[in-house]
Amino acid sequence: MTTSVSMNTSREELEDREQVSLTEKVVHIRRVSKVVKGGRHFGFNALVVVGDGQGRVGAGLGKGEEVPDAIRKGGAVARKNLIQVGMKGTTIPQAVVAKFGAANVILKPASPGTGIIAGGGVRAVVELAGVKDILTKSLGSPNPINVVYATVKAMGMLKDPEKELAKRKGPSSTLKSAVEARS
């Protein structure tokens, strides 16, 4: 029994270390109300994005009676939904388009020094993922929840070119050997 307890403790310590390095950003807070017999009952939604600035990012929507509760719950959901983003230097490896609900997001790689050309929810996700140079465009719905989820979906679609080539051609192939073979 003691070994399983020590294993769980080490797992919890690892999770705590991971969560310490994550940065949290509140993208949108919304007050919602429900009309009941005695008047209106208010609640809050908070859209939170978390990331480590090194290729991991996640988003979550928290709901609560008070704003701090909603933010805390949103952060917990975002930590559970972390994804790894494929990066190429300070930008993304290829252009990608993603749709979530009625929101469309286009992400394009940019040359070094361009910076982050993005607005609102897209900027929050891209910054916390650690991308420094990117061109983006949000089309369709301006709803921040759908825009953030579409951006996270797009970031999850990014693939590392060398890993993809190795997966397709076998473990001995790399991008450099493929380029050398052509010349």
Side-chain angles (χ1 to χ4, degrees):
M1 271 324 239
T2 56
T3 55
S4 64
V5 172
S6 64
M7 288 177 70
N8 289 340
T9 311
S10 63
R11 189 176 294 153
E12 289 171 0
E13 288 173 8
L14 286 174
E15 288 176 1
D16 288 341
R17 281 190 217 134
E18 284 181 3
Q19 291 181 2
V20 168
S21 66
L22 294 176
T23 308
E24 200 172 275
K25 190 169 189 179
V26 178
V27 177
H28 186 69
I29 295 177
R30 175 170 71 176
R31 187 180 82 170
V32 294
S33 64
K34 178 181 180 183
V35 179
V36 293
K37 186 177 178 184
R40 291 189 185 96
H41 185 256
F42 294 105
F44 294 91
N45 291 347
L47 179 61
V48 181
V49 178
V50 298
D52 64 355
Q54 297 174 1
R56 287 179 39 205
V57 69
L61 184 66
K63 301 175 183 182
E65 296 284 320
E66 301 292 331
V67 175
D69 292 339
I71 292 172
R72 181 180 42 77
K73 290 177 184 178
V77 171
R79 282 182 181 83
K80 288 179 186 174
N81 297 329
L82 282 175
I83 61 164
Q84 186 67 38
V85 176
M87 289 176 53
K88 181 180 174 185
T90 61
T91 189
I92 58 176
Q94 73 267 359
V96 66
V97 179
K99 181 174 182 166
F100 187 89
N104 291 317
V105 173
I106 302 170
L107 305 178
K108 293 182 180 180
S111 57
T114 303
I116 299 173
I117 311 298
V122 180
R123 176 176 288 273
V125 174
V126 168
E127 281 178 349
L128 291 176
V131 178
K132 303 284 186 252
D133 302 303
I134 191 167
L135 303 170
T136 68
K137 183 65 183 169
S138 175
L139 302 169
S141 172
N143 179 346
I145 297 169
N146 287 345
V147 169
V148 166
Y149 283 139
T151 307
V152 171
K153 184 178 176 182
M155 297 293 251
M157 293 165 64
L158 296 171
K159 305 285 183 202
D160 182 27
E162 292 192 11
K163 287 181 183 175
E164 278 298 304
L165 189 65
K167 194 187 302 181
R168 291 177 189 180
K169 296 211 174 188
S172 63
S173 298
T174 63
L175 189 58
K176 292 177 185 172
S177 63
V179 171
E180 290 171 2
R182 286 186 181 173
S183 27

